[in-house]
Structures are given as structure tokens and as C-alpha cells.
Amino acid sequence: MESLMCARINLTPVRSLCSCKNNPIHVPLLAPRVTRRVLVSPTVVMGSPKSFNSVAASVQPVEDSATSRFDNTLPSKEILDVWRNANAVCFDVDSTVCVDEGIDELAEFCGAGEAVAEWTARAMGGSVPFEQALAARLSLFSPSQSLVQEFLEKRPPRLSPGIEALVKKLHEKNKTVYLVSGGFRQMINPIATLLGIPLENIYANQLLFGSSGEFSGFDPNEPTSRSGGKAVAVQQIRKARGFKSLVMIGDGATDLEARKPGGADLFVCYAGVVLREPVAAKADWLVFNFKDLINSLD
């Protein structure tokens, strides 16, 4: 892995991923953007019903179609009991808490969006080891510290519809909320602040920079920097806090991996941004709207 981190990797862009069986089905309007970006502050995004409606409306056709193809969109009593009684809930960030894939957005900002997005699709579909995909993506644009800071200032996070209300509801129910992500702490800290989640409840990767702010890699000691890392992080959380029951919510193969002994008791696949069929099919509960999770807590 270290050799992958240190060397620039020359990749031939894949022209089409349609033949890949793990290729995700992107919800219209939330695929990698080809339309003009409208820059707004996070508070404006969260306070704009129009923005919420445009996102929610794009989900409905996929949701209607998927309901007939998946048998896990209606939870059993046992699944609801686990969800309601969980002591802690761990959220993936990219394409779950936020409507974007953070590393793809950063790469687009740095001029390498298309090639990096292809690697992201492979990583989230589970077709390549996560650490390989992470190193390959970063090698394509090597973001400096100043570029990351400029990105954060010009492109604030876009939260998924309903996530603020869901996290608030979980906190009201005295459930501890964590963010467990293959993304980077530098980009996730502002998201946690928006949601009222303590920064110590973030398990994510760390970009490393040299003395002049030049990109020098990522921290390989973070569990989320490698395949199976989210499962390790969730196990660490559960062991450290002694939680009797824990739920993982996310959209990708790395989130599904967290459901194992000593880790998550329940995996909820959130497909409100992108539907990854191999992952959705194996989930305990498939949801397209966070309102379903909110309402089921009452």
C-alpha cells in the first residue's frame, strides 16, 4: 500500500462502466454533475424547501421501481426492534449524510473529476480493494493543503434531505451518533459541526501534508484507509463504549462490511442518492428517504 501511496499512478480512463455488474444506478439529478453548480452556504441549502423538493423528487422513480425488485424495503418487527433499541448509530458520509462523494468533488475542483469518479465507483461497488482505490484516486490530483482549504470555502457540504432531522431525533432518543467514512477528516469536520456531532465521534481518513503544505499521502494507520476498515472502526466503537446494540447506515460495500460479530447488528442501506444493487440486496433494510427512519422511531 505504501508504494501505491508514494507513486503517481498513470491510469487510462475507462470510457464506460456499464458492463460492470457492480456499477451503481445513480438517481437522476444526483449523478456527477454536468450542469452548472450553484454555490450556496450550508445554511441556505438546509433552509431551502425548493432544494429539498428537487432532490426528493428525483428519488421517487427509482424508489417505485426498486420496491418491486427488493424484498427488504419493509422492515420486519425484529429489524424495527433493533433499530429502535440501538444505543448507537454510525453513518457513512458520502452519498449518505451528504449527496456528494467528497473525494470526487475535491478531484473535480482540482481538475481530475472524471477519472477519480470511475475509481470511486469501483471502490464503492467492492470490485477493488479500498486502499488501492484511495491511493490511485489521490495520485491523480495530489491535493495540496491550500487547495483543500480553498475547496472547503468555495464548496460547502450539501446535506441529504432529512439527515438533520434524523440526527436530531436520534440525539433526542439518547442514541450516540458517529460518522464513519472513507473520506477525509478535513472535509468531514464541517459536516459534523452542522449536525451537532462531536468531532471525536468521527472515524475517517487523514490527508497528510509536507512542511510547505504539499500533499504527501494519507495516514495508513486509520482503520478506514483500507478494505474492511469500517468494520474495524465500528468494532472499536462498540468495544470502547460497551454499546449493546449498534446500527450502520450507508450506501456502499464498505458499509455493508460493518455488519459482523462485534460490529453492527443491523445494516440499513440508504439509496436516496445512489442505488448500488449488490449492496441493497444484502441490506437488512433498504430505505430511500430518511423520513422512514425518523417515523419508525416513534
Side-chain angles (χ1 to χ4, degrees), residues 33-77:
R33 282 188 291 275
V34 294
T35 56
R36 180 173 62 87
R37 173 191 289 273
V38 179
L39 297 178
V40 293
S41 68
T43 53
V44 173
V45 172
M46 301 318 299
S48 170
K50 184 176 181 180
S51 297
F52 270 28
N53 291 340
S54 66
V55 173
S58 70
V59 172
Q60 193 63 39
V62 174
E63 179 177 356
D64 291 343
S65 172
T67 300
S68 62
R69 291 186 287 122
F70 294 95
D71 60 3
N72 55 355
T73 55
L74 294 177
S76 65
K77 180 182 181 301

Side-chain angles (χ1 to χ4, degrees), residues 74-85:
L74 294 177
S76 65
K77 180 182 181 301
E78 290 75 17
I79 288 174
L80 284 175
D81 285 344
V82 173
W83 168 240
R84 290 167 177 163
N85 296 316

Side-chain angles (χ1 to χ4, degrees), residues 11 44 52 56 67 111 133 162 167 187 198 214 220 233 243 246 260 269 282:
L11 300 173
V44 173
F52 270 28
T67 300
V167 171
M187 300 166 66
E214 74 278 11
F243 294 125
L246 185 150
K260 59 173 51 180
C269 178
K282 297 178 182 178

Side-chain angles (χ1 to χ4, degrees), residues 60-247:
Q60 193 63 39
V62 174
E63 179 177 356
D64 291 343
S65 172
T67 300
S68 62
R69 291 186 287 122
F70 294 95
D71 60 3
N72 55 355
T73 55
L74 294 177
S76 65
K77 180 182 181 301
E78 290 75 17
I79 288 174
L80 284 175
D81 285 344
V82 173
W83 168 240
R84 290 167 177 163
N85 296 316
N87 305 116
V89 179
C90 297
F91 286 92
D92 170 49
V93 175
D94 297 333
S95 296
T96 301
V97 169
C98 293
V99 300
D100 301 307
E101 288 286 336
I103 191 170
D104 292 357
E105 293 292 298
L106 178 59
E108 180 190 339
F109 186 78
C110 297
E114 183 178 352
V116 169
E118 290 166 356
W119 273 99
T120 297
R122 298 180 198 178
M124 293 302 99
S127 61
V128 296
F130 182 81
E131 60 270 26
Q132 178 184 350
L134 181 59
R137 286 179 288 179
L138 288 172
S139 73
L140 290 170
F141 63 105
S142 300
S144 66
Q145 190 170 23
S146 61
L147 265 177
V148 172
Q149 184 59 40
E150 183 182 359
F151 168 79
L152 292 174
E153 293 172 356
K154 293 185 177 180
R155 297 195 179 182
R158 302 193 306 160
L159 300 181
S160 293
I163 188 61
E164 277 192 313
L166 176 55
V167 171
K168 181 180 179 181
K169 186 79 169 183
L170 291 171
H171 284 156
E172 290 173 351
K173 296 287 184 178
N174 296 316
K175 301 182 188 298
T176 307
V177 178
Y178 291 85
L179 299 179
V180 181
S181 173
F184 303 107
R185 291 179 184 273
Q186 288 92 337
M187 300 166 66
I188 295 173
N189 286 347
I191 297 168
T193 300
L194 282 173
L195 295 174
I197 298 171
L199 298 186
E200 58 265 28
N201 287 8
I202 297 174
Y203 283 71
N205 291 314
Q206 182 81 15
L207 288 170
L208 301 178
F209 304 102
S211 58
S212 300
E214 74 278 11
F215 172 73
S216 62
F218 60 89
D219 186 353
N221 295 316
E222 295 284 1
T224 53
S225 68
R226 51 191 178 271
S227 291
K230 284 189 180 179
V232 172
V234 170
Q235 289 171 334
Q236 290 178 352
I237 291 169
R238 187 163 186 168
K239 183 177 180 180
R241 296 292 301 273
F243 294 125
K244 293 183 178 179
S245 181
L246 185 150
V247 174

